């Protein structure tokens, strides 16, 4: 089968396009990666031609030998649908999880996303803690979430609670909460380590003054998660633009009732009393 005919590639391209249409991917902002299933690799094997091994810049031994579909460094999310062979690539990892080689795509040259260390370290954590269920890592420059990192304290508890309050579905969609990475230089190992630490307990990590990372089982769930968090952030931005104080809101006991009916566990540390 041709790579571009594979369902996982079509799903990846649709997600990139959806993110572009949301306004989350100015210029070359944002990146996406998918940990490919062995049978999906097998189905497109005829088109895979390995190039030179390159250093990842970190070590992900739990991902040794795995294949990933990833966006290219400097490539525009806008162009993933229009020129997929130029914008995205399939990479294979070596048997130590320290090097990668491109096997398909980036036909005009280039490298995988500059955030490859963050993507792979997040994949490694999520593969381990979900028993291999999670396959998608998504980074976008979500406008309203970024705006909030200038006005809310950069604390997991505050972001989680404030975003839960803005839409009743939120605690059901991300019951484990949201982690916050303070401002750091993007692209390197340090921010990758900080983000992957948070991914041990959360599916969402916000990079202050930069954007968001989401992890999930498939494209729909991961995109839906990012969309839900960003929509909630948009409501909070609107509320804060009207008034510094809410007249009424969802209270801690309301969240506790919701948790019972929707069969989710909401950690008490997010249900603090406000003064
Ligand atoms: O340009 O979003 O974080 C890609 C990025 C880097
Ligand atoms: Zn970014």
């Amino acid at each position: 089968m041709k790579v571009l005919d594979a369902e996982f590639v079509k799903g990846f391209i649709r997600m990139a396009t959806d993110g572009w249409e949301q306004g989350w991917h100015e210029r070359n902002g944002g990146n996406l990666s998918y940990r490919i299933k062995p049978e999906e690799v097998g189905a497109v094997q005829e088109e895979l031609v390995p190039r030179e091994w390159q250093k990842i810049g970190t070590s992900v031994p739990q991902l040794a030998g795995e294949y990933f579909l990833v966006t290219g460094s400097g490539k525009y999310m806008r162009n993933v649908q229009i020129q997929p062979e130029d914008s995205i690539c399939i990479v294979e990892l070596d048997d130590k999880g320290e090097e990668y080689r491109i096997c398909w795509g980036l036909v005009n040259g280039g490298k995988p996303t500059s955030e490859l260390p963050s993507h792979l370290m997040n994949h490694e954590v999520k593969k381990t803690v979900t028993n291999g269920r999670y396959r998608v890592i998504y980074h976008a420059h979500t406008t309203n979430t970024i705006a909030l990192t200038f006005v809310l304290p950069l604390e997991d508890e505050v972001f989680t609670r404030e975003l839960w309050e803005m839409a009743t579905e939120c605690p059901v969609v991300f019951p484990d909460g949201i982690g916050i990475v303070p401002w750091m230089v993007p692209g390197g190992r340090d921010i990758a380590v900080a983000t992957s630490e948070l991914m041990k307990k959360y599916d969402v990590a916000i990079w202050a003054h930069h954007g968001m990372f989401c992890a999930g089982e498939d494209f729909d769930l991961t995109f839906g998660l990012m969309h839900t968090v960003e929509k909630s952030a948009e409501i909070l931005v609107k509320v804060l633009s009207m008034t510094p104080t809410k007249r009424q809101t969802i209270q801690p006991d309301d969240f506790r009732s919701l948790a019972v009916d929707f069969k989710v566990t909401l950690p008490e540390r997010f249900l603090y009393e406000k003064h």
Side-chain angles (χ1 to χ4, degrees):
M1 191 197 291
K2 295 279 185 213
V3 168
L4 290 177
D5 292 333
E7 284 305 318
F8 74 94
V9 180
K10 291 184 194 166
F12 184 100
I13 293 172
R14 194 185 96 176
M15 181 156 160
T17 306
D18 287 347
W20 157 252
E21 287 175 354
Q22 289 297 324
W24 298 342
H25 298 290
E26 76 291 340
R27 206 172 178 277
N28 61 320
N31 24 76
L32 173 62
S33 64
Y34 171 71
R35 186 166 59 84
I36 310 173
K37 297 175 183 166
E39 63 271 25
E40 292 169 331
V41 176
V44 300
Q45 197 78 51
E46 60 186 86
E47 274 212 295
L48 304 184
V49 182
R51 299 174 210 167
E52 298 289 284
W53 288 108
Q54 310 282 344
K55 293 254 179 285
I56 295 170
T58 188
S59 152
V60 283
Q62 301 305 318
L63 301 178
E66 295 246 29
Y67 287 74
F68 294 84
L69 181 58
V70 299
T71 47
S73 178
K75 299 296 181 182
Y76 290 28
M77 212 59 94
R78 167 90 183 96
N79 292 335
V80 169
Q81 183 180 43
I82 297 162
Q83 296 179 289
E85 305 96 323
D86 174 68
S87 304
I88 64 180
C89 62
I90 291 177
V91 299
E92 176 191 4
L93 302 198
D94 70 351
D95 58 6
K96 294 199 185 72
E98 288 179 359
E99 301 195 335
Y100 71 84
R101 58 182 179 181
I102 297 171
C103 301
W104 177 90
L106 291 176
V107 289
N108 298 308
K111 295 188 300 187
T113 168
S114 60
E115 303 294 357
L116 191 66
S118 280
H119 277 259
L120 292 180
M121 293 189 83
N122 290 344
H123 275 294
E124 185 176 48
V125 164
K126 283 303 184 189
K127 182 184 172 187
T128 307
V129 301
T130 72
N131 253 321
R133 262 188 314 119
Y134 276 32
R135 295 192 170 271
V136 182
I137 301 289
Y138 183 33
H139 168 57
H141 295 174
T142 41
T143 314
N144 294 284
T145 308
I146 297 168
L148 290 178
T149 66
F150 294 90
V151 299
L152 293 183
L154 298 176
E155 294 166 15
D156 302 2
E157 289 79 6
V158 174
F159 266 80
T160 300
R161 174 65 177 277
E162 293 304 318
L163 292 174
W164 278 2
E165 277 186 40
M166 288 302 116
T168 296
E169 65 170 331
C170 284
V172 180
V173 175
F174 50 95
D176 298 332
I178 293 179
I180 309 294
V181 179
W183 188 87
M184 291 177 76
V185 176
R189 189 171 179 277
D190 291 350
I191 198 167
V193 170
T195 312
S196 62
E197 266 309 306
L198 294 174
M199 285 290 172
K200 288 177 185 168
K201 39 184 185 178
Y202 307 119
D203 287 344
V204 185
I206 292 171
W207 283 3
H209 322 324
H210 183 144
M212 196 180 344
F213 263 88
C214 285
E217 259 178 72
D218 60 27
F219 298 121
D220 279 349
L221 285 165
T222 313
F223 188 86
L225 176 58
M226 177 93 62
H227 202 186
T228 303
V229 174
E230 173 59 5
K231 170 111 189 233
S232 188
E234 182 179 351
I235 298 169
L236 184 53
V237 166
K238 288 183 195 228
V239 170
L240 292 173
S241 307
M242 289 186 280
T243 169
T245 51
K246 297 169 209 157
R247 182 167 179 148
Q248 55 268 321
T249 187
I250 307 170
Q251 298 295 341
D253 275 344
D254 299 331
F255 286 117
R256 293 183 186 105
S257 305
L258 190 75
V260 174
D261 278 21
F262 283 81
K263 299 182 174 50
V264 289
T265 304
L266 301 178
E268 280 291 320
R269 72 189 169 100
F270 300 127
L271 302 179
Y272 52 85
E273 289 302 325
K274 293 186 190 177
H275 302 289

